[in-house]
Structures are given as structure tokens and as C-alpha cells.
Amino acid sequence: MRNPTRYLTPTLLVCLLAAPAAFANLTPSKSLADLTPKPEQVLVDQTVNGLLSRYHYGDKTLNNALSRYIFRHYLSTLDPTRSYFTQADIEKFSKYGRTLGDDIRKGNLEPAFNIYNAYKRHVAQQVQYALKLLQHKPDLTTHETYTFDREKAQWPANQKALDALWHKRVTNDVINLMLTGKSWEDTAKILRKRYKNFLSQARQINSADVFNAFMNTYAHAMDPHTAYFSPEQSEQFRIEMSLKLQGIGAALTTKNQYVTVERVLPGGPAAKSDKIHPGDRITAVAQGDDGKWVDVVGWRLSDVVDLIRGKKGTVVRLQIMPSGTAPGAAEKHLRLVRNVIELKAQQAHSKVMDIKRGDHTYKIGVITVPSFYRDFKAASEGKKDYRSTTRDVRRLIGELKQKHIDALVLDLRDNPGGSLAEATEMTGLFIDKGPVVQIRDTDGKVKVHRDENSNVAYSGPLVVVVNRFSASASEIFTAAIQDYHRGLIVGSTTYGKGTVQTLLDLNHFVASGKAGQLKLTIAKFYRITGSSTQDHGVTPDIALPSPIDDSEFGEATQDNALPWDKISAADYHPFHDQLRKSLPTLRHDHKQRVEHSAKYQLFLKDVAQARTMHEQKSVSLNLKARRAERESHEAQKLADVNAWRKLNGKKPVKSLSDVPSDESAPDVLLHEAAQIAADMHRMHLGIREPGTAVAKARAAGF
């Protein structure tokens, strides 16, 4: 068989609308009859097992421990909110937890299908119970609470406990809708339709969908980035990676019955609006400026995607529950014009920021790098003008030099990675020749990727800004800049995606021609110091607050992530240690400055409020109390908006609806990064041009 050596370095799946989901692209079916596996699925199961056993970097054995892990996560895939199975059901299924490993090796898929068929029956049962509850208006004066975040909750002990949970869930759904001004009659009508949709989804699941969900559970048990793609999902992946899909430019997933934003694609309508953020939940969709709102809570991901997609130039409106807010909180409405998202939307771009210090103004160049891209096809055809990150950044540096910048900021926030070659070559724009990253494969062999170009495009003070969504190739570049002491890293700890994947066409191993693909982790990245970027990410030299909750995102949040480790350091020579010695002063100046910055302090307040709201895991089932809570949140939000407007010299507004749709808060973090770059210029913290005594000493190994 072929040895899987084609390196791919994407991090989070760079989708335009939808990440592959357990039950996407479902084929309609009319009954709730039990589903059974098909003969060709047995062959795919055994092929995937063989490839994972032989070539996965983690070298995990399909033993009893891994079997139990797959079992637990398969149950969580089917019932992530612990709302259908009871603890009694889990105990009945427990026998499968001990045998799933052997079953996978033998191609025995019956346990996976038996569990799913039981799940489907529970869905029908609980939906009928919910519909029965809607025959009467619930008591909305109770002092009970409902825990809406149930991903880590215990399974209900028995049917009585499960029904009690659903009673609270239905009551909460009623309150959420009535808080928007709907009557009990309209609320009941919407919820009946929503709950019947749950049952309709179960009817549409077919044998292929169950198999895909189980195979993905097995693949993800190896590590978060190993995945099985069905033939349909493989085609979807190809379309999405071509970056030419018409839509809004956001990767979506499902979480707790909500279609949730996983990532916003730079350059797309969603990103340009600056109104959609990771963790936001889409609760309704409307077409055009006058179309009726369609409630999509509980819908399949693929169905919501179909509503959001559309022809270029057409309007879609989204109703969004902001990240971190509890169900029933005030939702926002967003109008977006669909567009074709192409690679050029993610190209690097630049601007100049003026930082005033007394009578002097520092000119700080800013280059935003949304991803590490390269037109491999044009490059392989020998075209001299092929597009690449390094070429664009080199050109932008030249343009900024002509504007006489004093320092440079590279903005890598939300950069998910991309081409390893580009990360290596772009590092070369800021250092002389030398190693950039080390890669160790499944055989333990280490290959060092080096910058072989001695020409330094920029030698002045350098700041690199990162956040939790800076990953993979972004972490390679950032780590190299930090390890060479070439520039200062500011922001928050990066994602921690230090693994390499290859994409295998399973049709090469299974004769059916409809086997799908396997994304397989085959290697690991290491810094030139020998430390892995896996799990730990890159820690900034100066930490800046972030609205992103690190406990929700990043490799460290995955319980099956490959561990951090270390290998021998590469042979490299850091620049002079002037930057390291100046770091305490830079930190001190940063601290003094932000303590007296009204905008920075207001930003800190916003972050703290968001964290407080995010920590809320339960809500009251008392309508009056919930209405008062919502009004309080609205008043606080209006006060915050007016505080920002005052700082920007604008008049206060009386209502949130009076805020212009294109108005957003200033980028406080980027402004502070530019301030730090100005500090570095003042302290002469660039590198010296080749030929100086320092450069010669470094080249000699001192």
C-alpha cells in the first residue's frame, strides 16, 4: 500500500459554512424501523482500522481502554445533552464498551447500530412527552432552575428523572420564546413544530449516517484531528477548501441543540460585519429583507446551512444569541449579503497606525496575515507570479518601508495555519539562514525545515500578535520568531495544534469506489528548541486579555489530544539577547500605560462581564425573574455601548436599536501592540544589518 507522506498543515477545518457533522447530508426515510449495517461498510471499517493501527502517529492500541473511550464518546455523539438516554440504558449498553475494539477489528458493526436504534426510539418517546406537556401552559412562577449546559452532566437515573428533565427543558423553551414578546399560543405552536422536527430528523437517518458517526467517533478517539469523511463529506470538504463557496464565510457546528459559529473566515461577509464571533448561536434565519424568520433551534446542521447559503448578492438575515449568554438572553439581528469567498479574500494586507507620544508621532506598520496560503498549482506550472503569503508580505514590507515606518506589527490573530512551506519561508523574511521547525514522523525520524535565504526583508522592531485561534503554521512562525529572539510575541496563548495530517483516499484500498477519505495524523511539529507546540501552544512574552475563553477552545480542551513532549534542539543561534534583557522594561511600560488607558480598562470590563455570563450554566424557570434579568443585561449593554461612544467622541444613544449597524468597538489589542512596537523602536530593539559586529558574532556562534 502507499505510505501516507503527503503533509497537510491546516488546523481547524477551514470551512465556509459547515464543518463535517456526525449526521450531515442525510437521506430521507419515512419510518423509525431499525437500521442495519451494509456489507461494504464492513470493508471500510476494517480498512480504517488497518490504516489507523499502522500509520497513526499516536500508536494507540485498540485495547480495552480505547474501546471504552470510543463507547463513551459514541454515546455522547448521539446524545450530547444527556437528554434521551438514562443511566439504566447506559448500564445495559456497558457490555459493548468492553468489546467495541474487537468488534471494529472483526468488522462487526451491530453494536454501533443497536445503540443507535435504541437512541432513535428514545427520541420518539421524549418528543411525544414534550408534545404532551405543550397541551397545557406550564407554571412560570416556579422557583426551580434549569441547567442548560449538560455536556458534562450525569445521565438521568431513570425514566422518571428523564421526564423531569424534559419538563424543565420544555418550560425553559417556553420562557425563551415568551421573553421575545410571543404569546403562549404562538409559543406553543413554534415549539410543537420544533419538537416534531427532532422526530423528523431521526426518521431521515439512514445506515450510512450511523456508520459515518461511528467511524468518526473511532477516528477522533485517536486524536482530535483524525477524521473519517464519507463520500458526500469528502466532496463537501473539497468544495470548502477551494474557498469558492457562496455564503457568509463562517464555519458552523452543533452544540446543545444550537447551530454554533466555530470560526469566522477572514474576508467573508461575516468577518466584514464584525458582528459574528466564535460561540455565537444561530436561532433563526430569514431570506431577503422581508422574509419571515424561520426558527432553526434543534435543526440539522446541513438544513441550516442550506438556508444560509444562496446566490451571490442576495440577502440573508440571522438571529443570533451571543456567545456566553444564557438561553433567553436578548438576541441580535444581522443582515448579510452573500458573496463568493475566494482565496484573495484571505490575502495579507497592510496599514499604518500613528502612535502619538507627546510631540512625536511613531509610524507603525501593520500587516495582517489571515492564513498561510500558496497557489501550489500555479507554482508547479512554473508561473513566476504565483500567489503566496511570503511574496505578499515581502511586497507589503517594501511598501511600508517607503512610508518610513518605525516598527512593524504582524497580526496573526485567528490565523488557522495552512502551508508549512510558507510558514518557513516567511520566517526567512526576518532572520538569516537557519532552521525554522522540526518534524518527527511515526518512525521517529526527525526532519528539519530550514530557511535557506540569507536576505532579511525587515530588520527593525517586530511585534507578532496572536490569540487562541492562531494555530498550526501560525504557531510555527511565531515560535521561530520567539526562539530566535527576533521579535516580541504579544496576545494570548495559541491553539496548540502541533500535529501533521495527510488525507488518504480509501477508494485506493476498497473496491466499492464509495469508501470516502481518512484524515490521518502522521507527524508532529517541534520548535527549534526541541519543545513541541502540541497542546501547550506558544506563550506570549506580553499577555493581553482576550474575549476568547481558553477553557472552551484549543488543543488542551480535548481529552484525546496527543501529549506535549520534547526532542533535541536544532543547531541554531539566537540573535543578541538585547530584546530578552529589555523585556522587563517593556512589560513595565505596558502595564503603566494600560492602567491609565480608559479604552483599555473599558475593554477589560467587557471581557470580565463576558466571562461572568459565560460561567452561567443554569437559568431560572420563573418568567418574571428571567424578564428582570434580561432587562438588566440590556441596560448594562446599553451603558457599555454609550461608554464606548463617549470615549470615541460620539453622542449617547437611547436604545440599542439606535446604534448604526456598521459601528463596532475599536481594536484595543492591536492598538496596544502598536504601542509596544513604538516602545521597541524607542529602545532600538531591532536587529542590526548584516555586516555589523553583532551579526558577525552571531554567525560565529557567540
Side-chain angles (χ1 to χ4, degrees):
M1 64 174 289
R2 297 183 180 182
N3 184 32
T5 57
R6 176 167 160 257
Y7 286 160
L8 301 178
T9 61
T11 171
L12 303 174
L13 185 58
V14 185
C15 310
L16 296 192
L17 286 174
F23 299 131
N25 305 313
L26 308 180
T27 303
S29 162
K30 292 185 178 180
S31 71
L32 279 175
D34 285 353
L35 298 172
T36 57
K38 296 181 178 180
E40 59 267 26
Q41 293 168 352
V42 173
L43 296 177
V44 176
D45 166 90
Q46 293 177 312
T47 300
V48 169
N49 173 56
L51 292 170
L52 291 178
S53 300
R54 294 184 191 182
Y55 296 108
H56 187 271
Y57 183 88
D59 193 28
K60 291 185 178 180
T61 303
L62 196 52
N63 53 22
N64 289 339
L66 187 58
S67 178
R68 289 191 294 271
Y69 183 93
I70 296 170
F71 168 70
R72 292 194 303 271
H73 280 260
Y74 183 54
L75 292 172
S76 294
T77 296
L78 297 179
D79 188 8
T81 60
R82 275 56 169 174
S83 300
Y84 297 101
F85 289 134
T86 66
Q87 184 59 42
D89 296 319
I90 304 304
E91 291 172 1
K92 289 179 183 178
F93 298 146
S94 61
K95 60 181 180 181
Y96 296 134
R98 298 186 294 270
T99 64
L100 271 183
D102 289 335
D103 290 328
I104 290 172
R105 278 190 291 266
K106 296 174 183 177
N108 178 19
L109 297 170
E110 288 189 5
F113 277 77
N114 289 343
I115 292 172
Y116 173 74
N117 288 327
Y119 161 76
K120 189 165 56 173
R121 289 190 290 272
H122 279 289
V123 170
Q125 177 178 304
Q126 295 311 128
V127 167
Q128 293 301 325
Y129 178 69
L131 292 172
K132 181 180 178 181
L133 291 175
L134 288 175
Q135 292 176 1
H136 305 284
K137 184 178 179 179
D139 179 9
L140 304 181
T141 63
T142 177
H143 295 292
E144 293 184 318
T145 59
Y146 171 65
T147 301
F148 59 85
D149 187 341
R150 293 188 47 79
E151 284 192 334
K152 297 181 180 179
Q154 297 294 319
W155 303 97
N158 48 41
Q159 187 61 45
K160 182 179 180 180
L162 183 60
D163 286 346
L165 171 65
W166 271 81
H167 190 280
K168 288 187 174 183
R169 173 175 170 171
V170 171
T171 302
N172 181 62
D173 288 346
V174 168
I175 290 176
N176 289 343
L177 289 172
M178 293 188 71
L179 283 173
T180 65
K182 292 181 174 60
S183 66
W184 157 245
E185 290 75 16
D186 289 340
T187 293
K189 183 178 179 180
I190 292 171
L191 290 180
R192 287 189 192 99
K193 185 176 181 180
R194 181 185 296 180
Y195 297 155
K196 288 178 181 179
N197 185 59
F198 293 164
L199 188 57
S200 176
Q201 290 180 43
R203 289 195 176 106
Q204 295 177 43
I205 301 294
N206 63 17
S207 175
D209 302 316
V210 179
F211 175 73
N212 295 345
F214 182 64
M215 277 296 97
N216 241 318
T217 302
Y218 172 32
H220 283 309
M222 307 303 285
D223 82 287
H225 306 287
T226 293
Y228 169 71
F229 295 161
S230 69
E232 294 79 14
Q233 290 169 339
S234 298
E235 177 62 15
Q236 179 72 9
F237 181 77
R238 183 193 67 76
I239 293 172
E240 287 163 348
M241 291 305 288
S242 71
L243 299 179
K244 292 183 179 179
L245 191 62
Q246 294 181 168
I248 64 170
L252 306 181
T253 187
T254 52
K255 185 175 182 181
N256 290 330
Q257 306 298 324
Y258 291 97
V259 170
T260 304
V261 177
E262 186 174 63
R263 180 174 172 262
V264 177
L265 188 69
K272 290 179 179 178
S273 76
D274 196 30
K275 302 293 184 182
I276 303 180
H277 308 285
D280 286 352
R281 291 150 290 180
I282 299 173
T283 58
V285 180
Q287 304 302 323
D289 288 314
D290 303 316
K292 293 183 178 180
W293 288 105
V294 178
D295 180 274
V296 297
V297 177
W299 280 38
R300 291 181 309 166
L301 182 62
S302 56
D303 288 342
V304 178
V305 169
D306 287 342
L307 284 181
I308 296 176
R309 281 181 182 159
K311 293 183 179 179
K312 176 183 177 180
T314 59
V315 172
V316 62
R317 289 177 292 136
L318 304 179
Q319 181 173 282
I320 292 175
M321 186 187 302
S323 174
T325 58
E331 294 167 320
K332 59 184 179 182
H333 294 129
L334 181 63
R335 179 185 185 275
L336 297 173
V337 179
R338 299 178 177 102
N339 204 348
V340 177
I341 319 299
E342 296 187 359
L343 184 61
K344 64 182 180 181
Q346 294 196 66
Q347 290 173 5
H349 51 277
S350 67
K351 65 179 180 181
V352 175
M353 296 180 66
D354 291 334
I355 300 299
K356 294 183 178 181
R357 300 281 180 84
D359 295 332
H360 185 75
T361 298
Y362 294 93
K363 299 175 75 65
I364 309 299
V366 178
I367 297 179
T368 301
V369 184
S371 68
F372 285 88
Y373 51 87
R374 172 180 286 194
D375 189 340
F376 288 99
K377 184 175 183 293
S380 65
E381 292 173 351
K383 295 182 179 180
K384 296 182 179 180
D385 59 345
Y386 70 86
R387 182 69 70 183
S388 81
T389 304
T390 304
R391 290 183 170 205
D392 287 346
V393 171
R394 184 190 297 276
R395 171 179 54 80
L396 293 171
I397 288 174
E399 294 173 358
L400 290 172
K401 280 183 173 180
Q402 292 179 357
K403 297 178 181 179
H404 306 292
I405 60 171
D406 297 307
L408 178 64
V409 173
L410 287 176
D411 189 354
L412 267 62
R413 290 175 296 174
D414 301 332
N415 184 320
S419 168
L420 170 63
E422 287 301 320
T424 303
E425 291 183 16
M426 198 174 101
T427 303
L429 298 179
F430 304 96
I431 67 168
D432 290 339
K433 290 182 178 180
V436 174
V437 63
Q438 304 183 87
I439 299 179
R440 184 169 68 176
D441 63 21
T442 52
D443 296 326
K445 296 179 181 178
V446 177
K447 181 179 180 180
V448 180
H449 286 242
R450 303 176 57 87
D451 162 49
E452 299 293 353
N453 191 336
S454 60
N455 293 325
V456 176
Y458 178 76
S459 58
L462 176 66
V463 171
V464 180
V465 192
V466 292
N467 66 3
R468 194 60 162 177
F469 291 123
S470 304
S472 195
S474 293
E475 295 175 286
I476 291 171
F477 173 84
T478 303
I481 294 298
Q482 189 176 59
D483 293 339
Y484 273 106
H485 301 176
R486 172 59 189 90
L488 206 64
I489 314 302
V490 305
S492 49
T493 302
T494 60
Y495 193 87
K497 197 272 187 181
T499 56
V500 184
Q501 284 71 45
T502 188
L503 197 62
L504 299 179
D505 187 348
L506 297 178
N507 294 313
H508 293 166
F509 311 102
V510 180
S512 70
K514 296 182 179 181
Q517 294 177 309
L518 180 67
K519 184 156 71 84
L520 178 66
T521 296
I522 56 170
K524 212 170 182 182
F525 292 127
Y526 294 85
R527 302 169 68 145
I528 52 179
T529 60
S531 176
S532 174
T533 56
Q534 171 63 18
D535 196 57
H536 287 191
V538 179
T539 303
D541 300 306
I542 296 180
L544 300 180
S546 172
I548 301 171
D549 188 347
D550 288 1
S551 67
E552 289 289 321
F553 303 98
E555 197 81 1
T557 66
Q558 306 292 327
D559 58 7
N560 61 332
L562 295 183
W564 175 91
D565 62 345
K566 192 171 184 178
I567 61 175
S568 298
D571 183 13
Y572 78 104
H573 302 289
F575 287 89
H576 55 81
D577 61 356
Q578 185 182 0
L579 180 60
R580 299 294 103 188
K581 291 179 179 179
S582 302
L583 188 54
T585 301
L586 289 168
R587 286 173 173 162
H588 175 269
D589 291 349
H590 156 71
K591 182 179 179 181
Q592 291 293 313
R593 181 168 50 249
V594 299
E595 285 180 352
H596 296 87
S597 168
K599 289 184 178 180
Y600 198 93
Q601 292 303 313
L602 183 55
F603 176 73
L604 287 179
K605 179 183 175 183
D606 287 350
V607 170
Q609 288 177 350
R611 292 288 172 86
T612 299
M613 294 184 68
H614 188 269
E615 291 171 358
Q616 183 180 354
K617 304 299 182 184
S618 62
V619 289
S620 169
L621 293 180
N622 184 295
L623 179 59
K624 184 178 180 180
R626 288 279 291 279
R627 185 172 284 123
E629 183 181 69
R630 177 173 171 138
E631 291 173 353
S632 175
H633 288 161
E634 285 288 277
Q636 181 62 59
K637 187 174 181 181
L638 179 61
D640 292 343
V641 167
N642 282 328
W644 279 112
R645 292 179 65 83
K646 181 179 180 181
L647 288 176
N648 290 322
K650 298 179 180 179
K651 294 181 179 180
V653 293
K654 294 181 179 180
S655 170
L656 291 173
S657 61
D658 296 330
V659 180
S661 59
D662 60 348
E663 183 173 302
S664 58
D667 192 339
V668 173
L669 300 184
L670 183 60
H671 186 267
E672 178 56 25
Q675 292 276 13
I676 294 171
D679 290 342
M680 293 176 67
H681 170 77
R682 180 173 50 83
M683 299 171 69
H684 306 289
L685 295 180
I687 63 171
R688 305 198 184 179
E689 297 293 345
T692 64
V694 171
K696 290 179 180 179
R698 184 167 56 80
F702 293 99

